[in-house]
Structure formats: structure tokens, C-alpha cells
Amino acid sequence: SGVYDIFGYPQGNPLRRASIVDLYIDESRRNMELARAEVIRSGSAVSLDTEIRTWRGESRWMRLSINAREEGGRTVRIFGAKQDVTSERQALDALRRQAETDPLTGLANRHVFQARYSDVVGDTLNYGGASARGLIDLDRFKELNDTFGHEAGDACLREIGMRLRRAFRDAGLVARLGGDEFALILRAPTTPARIAQVLQKTVAMLCRPFFWNGLRLLVGASIGAALIERPHHRRIAELFAEADAALYTAKTAGRNKVHVFDGPNRPVSP
């Protein structure tokens, strides 16, 4: 009866292993089969969490405990238990998201951006093309905040976060560092001139007006970027400093500007 309940399987239907195994998510199915084989081989007990899709299509987490009975040094039977741990996993996921995300925009926060930076730029499988680290600072945000209040400012930051998430869906990472400052890892293109062009299009996208409580509101954006050279050996502090210097150059040049740091004497602009 427990198996019927956990998998949401219609009562009375024969419990065939193949039908139940089909309800595991692919990665969990692989992990379960590997664990099962290891128990048969070694006779040692194993416990693991697996994700399943119930017969009704609901996502659920299940903790498997697999044990073995041996006779004459050989595994002759395996047995175990299944426990629904969906609520536990959801609570842990909620705590993790709370710790890792900016509560206003839903983007990664500063701590996560710094912690994951090395993984993002060093992951040759998924982010081997990481080419630039960008800093985005909003123009006229203080003016908007002072004129229309903090609720309007918060609405602006949420809108900017949503636009960045959409624009850089395939970027290595987009984060809000705090206040009106955002950061990103740009995967491609890889040439300084093309990076500057992409970031200038980003500025144009962020400068589009948005509407809040019947008001048409406007902010601008300045972007400074530092190139991530391949292979990447420099510390994150160096790239932060270069991107910060580029952002300062962009802001002193006027609003809605982009500057890419390509060495101390080689400025790149779109």
C-alpha cells in the first residue's frame, strides 16, 4: 500500500517493477540502479534520495534504503524501504534559495556570485566560452527613488532584474550585488569589440521605459566589463577591480555608456 501511495499508482493495478522504475526521473533512475547494483555486489547497505514523477504527474522526492542478505559470502536477496521526503526537500530548497537569492529580484546575490565565479568561468563543458565579467550600475535611479518613493524604486529594480534574466538566460550568472548594482558573466561573444556591442544593446534594453501605478518611469544604465582571458588564472579580485575601473570610465563619459577594460591603455567602446 505504501508503494501505491508514494507513486500515486492506481490501487489494484499489478505492481510491476518496470512500471514503477519508469516513474523515476532519468538521473534518479540511473543513481538508483547503480546503488542497487552496488548493494548486490558488495552486500553493503545504501541510502539515497531520488526524484520521481507520480502516475498523476506530480513531482515527489523519495528516500530509498537498500539492504542485502548474504549466504555464504554471496548476496541472495535485497530488500529495503521507501520514504516520502518531499516536504523535507522542499523546506531545504526554500532555505537554500533564501540564502542564495536576492529577495527583491530573485537573482543570485553577491555571496553566490563570488562563490560560484570560479566554477562558472572554469567549467569547460558548459561555460568554457565565458568571455567577460560585467558590472551594471543604474543611472538616475536615486532621482527616481527620491521623486516617487522606495516602492517605485523597488519596482524598478524588479523590472531590471527581470530584463537581465531574460536577456542573459544563457549567461554563466546574473546577480544583484546590492543597491542598484548588478553583475554578470558573459559567455559569448569573445572579441572585445563584439562584447562592447552586446553590452551597448543591453544598455538600450535597460533604458526602455516601464510603467508602475499609472506612471511612465525611466532609468538608464552604465556598464563596465573586464575580459576573462583563456586559460583563466587571475583572481576574482583583479577582474572586479578592472570591471569597476571600466564602470567608472563609462559613468564619467555620460549616461548610458559602455566601457570594456582591455588593458590599462587599450579602452574598447562600441
Side-chain angles (χ1 to χ4, degrees), residues 195-215:
I195 289 170
Q197 291 173 7
V198 167
L199 295 180
Q200 191 62 60
K201 290 181 180 179
T202 302
V203 165
M205 175 267 294
L206 295 178
C207 290
R208 293 199 307 264
F210 70 99
F211 296 88
W212 175 79
N213 277 7
L215 297 173

Side-chain angles (χ1 to χ4, degrees), residues 31-268:
N31 291 338
M32 180 272 293
E33 295 287 14
L34 287 172
R36 182 174 182 270
E38 176 62 21
V39 172
I40 294 173
R41 185 193 66 81
S42 67
S44 300
V46 168
S47 178
L48 72 157
D49 287 359
T50 57
E51 186 179 5
I52 63 172
R53 189 78 62 186
T54 69
W55 191 79
R56 299 182 184 89
E58 301 167 332
S59 178
R60 188 170 291 176
W61 281 91
M62 180 177 64
R63 181 161 298 146
L64 289 180
S65 300
I66 311 174
N67 299 274
R69 184 167 67 85
E70 292 184 318
E71 290 181 3
R74 178 174 176 270
T75 300
V76 296
R77 178 172 177 262
I78 61 171
F79 60 96
K82 297 176 174 67
Q83 178 187 3
D84 189 336
V85 293
T86 304
S87 297
E88 177 184 328
R89 291 290 299 228
Q90 289 174 341
L92 289 173
D93 288 344
L95 288 173
R96 177 184 54 78
R97 286 193 299 270
Q98 184 177 354
E100 294 182 351
T101 60
D102 169 57
L104 186 63
T105 64
L107 298 175
N109 58 26
R110 176 186 288 269
H111 173 73
V112 170
F113 187 85
Q114 293 176 332
R116 293 184 183 172
Y117 171 79
S118 296
D119 293 337
V120 168
V121 299
D123 184 348
T124 56
L125 179 62
N126 295 310
Y127 302 105
S131 56
R133 183 256 192 244
L135 273 181
I136 303 169
D137 191 78
L138 301 185
D139 298 323
R140 298 195 299 267
F141 177 76
K142 185 178 185 303
E143 175 185 330
L144 181 149
N145 211 42
D146 292 344
T147 303
F148 300 103
H150 293 299
E151 288 188 8
D154 288 349
C156 172
L157 293 173
R158 283 192 294 268
E159 177 69 21
I160 294 298
M162 181 181 66
R163 293 182 186 185
L164 287 173
R165 188 185 298 108
R166 288 176 177 173
F168 295 99
R169 191 181 306 274
D170 297 325
L173 194 60
V174 180
R176 180 187 175 211
L177 301 185
D180 61 344
E181 189 175 46
F182 297 80
L184 61 89
I185 296 293
L186 188 64
R187 284 187 61 185
T190 56
T191 64
R194 284 286 295 125
I195 289 170
Q197 291 173 7
V198 167
L199 295 180
Q200 191 62 60
K201 290 181 180 179
T202 302
V203 165
M205 175 267 294
L206 295 178
C207 290
R208 293 199 307 264
F210 70 99
F211 296 88
W212 175 79
N213 277 7
L215 297 173
R216 182 180 183 272
L217 302 179
L218 277 171
V219 293
S222 298
I223 303 180
L227 300 180
I228 299 173
E229 300 171 354
R230 312 299 298 181
H232 173 69
H233 296 301
R234 290 185 297 161
R235 295 178 303 165
I236 185 173
E238 296 179 54
L239 279 174
F240 260 85
E242 290 180 3
D244 199 50
L247 177 62
Y248 177 80
T249 301
K251 290 189 78 69
T252 55
R255 292 171 176 169
N256 308 331
K257 300 294 183 180
V258 169
H259 185 84
V260 178
F261 187 98
D262 188 25
N265 300 312
R266 294 177 293 167
V268 178

